[in-house]
Amino acid sequence: MILMPRKAEAMRAGTPKDAGAGSPEIEIRDLHKSFGDNQVLRGIDLEVDAGEVVCVIGPSGSGKSTLLRCVNLLEEPTSGKVFVGGTEVTDLDVDIDAVRRRIGMVFQQFNLFPHLTATENLTLPQRRVLGRGKAEAAETAARNLERVGLAAKADAYPAQLSGGQQQRVAIARALAMGPEVMLFDEPTSALDPELVGDVLAVMRRLAQEGMTMMVVTHEMSFAREVADRVVFMDGGVIVEQGPPAQVVGDPQHERTRHFLNRILDPAAAEPEEPTGE
């Protein structure tokens, strides 16, 4: 496999990005999202460059998944703007289906059709959404199943696959659509611990290939090793962001330190006081 160079090595070294770099692949401006009286996102500003891997971490209820779902308008923001590849996703006149074809998304649950084989789960959206012929869709499916290490399971049904294998099929399904951006919403949270590694290995390879990725995760080892930037959210705002060595290794904010202590050493964590919310 030929690995594309990672443009974010400079960020890991702590040097600024090139001032002449092009527009970000994902741009989020003053994003707000409320569900009734519950303000989930409170003015998020974030950019993700092409080829960059950004891991979003934070406690449950901090707005991480909502932020991700606003990028492809699975959740409609209350206010603010989102751009993907220079196109404003939040524009009322945008062809959202066309924009979504450029964005692959992998959820906590695998959402595979149980009555279809792995290959059929990959070919169906290609044929219905992209209008590909049967042969082209099958060839693309085979290529992407091999890409995630599941060529031998092409004819297997979801019930015949482990949870980790099902999640890799879901990743292959997203890749078969030819996305420019991949969004991962805690893709390993529904897996048994021994199955997590295979899924993270696939995501590492995608990062090495230069795929633009936003990843909501609690896998701190993945964030440390693979992310170009880690974003810590709490209470619907970005509290801290920067290279993994800074945010995970030497966090500057007390709330970030408290969260990481609970994640990295749960046995030593003190129970949190109820907030009454």
Side-chain angles (χ1 to χ4, degrees):
M1 180 187 297
I2 298 175
L3 301 183
M4 297 175 60
R6 300 298 310 283
K7 64 181 287 185
E9 289 301 321
M11 288 188 65
R12 286 205 179 95
T15 56
K17 292 181 288 187
D18 293 340
S23 299
E25 191 68 26
I26 301 172
E27 184 176 2
I28 299 167
R29 299 180 186 171
D30 194 26
L31 191 69
H32 293 255
K33 175 62 182 178
S34 296
F35 296 97
D37 294 331
N38 183 21
Q39 293 185 336
V40 179
L41 300 177
R42 304 167 182 260
I44 299 292
D45 291 294
L46 183 65
E47 295 182 357
V48 180
D49 287 336
E52 189 178 13
V53 178
V54 172
C55 283
V56 184
I57 65 172
S60 298
S62 61
K64 308 182 301 295
S65 293
T66 300
L67 172 63
L68 208 66
R69 292 171 66 88
C70 283
V71 172
N72 62 358
L73 226 62
L74 289 178
E75 293 289 354
E76 186 172 346
T78 303
S79 64
K81 295 183 178 181
V82 177
F83 298 82
V84 176
T87 300
E88 185 185 344
V89 176
T90 44
D91 187 334
L92 294 177
D93 296 325
V94 74
D95 183 350
I96 189 60
D97 291 332
V99 174
R100 284 175 178 155
R101 292 187 197 112
R102 299 159 59 185
I103 306 171
M105 187 157 186
V106 178
F107 301 88
Q108 297 178 31
Q109 302 300 324
F110 323 125
N111 299 321
L112 300 178
F113 291 109
H115 63 291
L116 300 180
T117 65
T119 293
E120 291 166 342
N121 266 284
L122 267 67
T123 56
L124 181 64
Q126 292 181 67
R127 299 185 68 184
R128 290 195 174 178
V129 177
L130 302 180
R132 289 176 179 164
K134 184 176 181 180
E136 181 185 4
E139 180 182 351
T140 303
R143 184 167 63 251
N144 282 286
L145 284 173
E146 182 175 7
R147 197 175 177 186
V148 301
L150 290 176
K153 299 293 185 179
D155 296 324
Y157 290 90
Q160 298 171 314
L161 302 173
S162 70
Q165 289 171 334
Q166 290 185 61
Q167 188 62 294
R168 283 189 280 159
V169 171
I171 294 173
R173 177 180 56 190
L175 293 173
M177 305 297 284
E180 300 167 14
V181 171
M182 286 287 288
L183 309 177
F184 293 88
D185 187 5
E186 300 198 37
T188 61
S189 64
L191 301 179
D192 291 333
E194 67 269 21
L195 302 177
V196 168
D198 290 339
V199 173
L200 294 181
V202 169
M203 295 170 65
R204 283 188 179 92
R205 287 197 293 271
L206 291 178
Q208 290 170 338
E209 292 171 7
M211 176 65 73
T212 306
M213 298 164 59
M214 278 187 70
V215 184
V216 170
T217 185
H218 282 107
E219 299 290 343
M220 291 302 111
S221 61
F222 178 86
R224 270 193 294 244
E225 297 168 17
V226 181
D228 299 305
R229 186 156 35 108
V230 174
V231 173
F232 173 68
M233 289 183 62
D234 191 25
V237 300
I238 294 175
V239 176
E240 184 171 357
Q241 63 175 305
Q246 173 188 313
V247 177
V248 180
D250 186 24
Q252 302 302 299
H253 291 262
E254 176 59 32
R255 186 64 189 95
T256 314
R257 290 194 291 270
H258 178 71
F259 169 77
L260 289 170
N261 286 339
R262 294 180 65 86
I263 291 293
L264 298 175
D265 191 9
E270 295 292 331
E272 290 188 334
E273 292 294 328
T275 63
E277 294 181 359

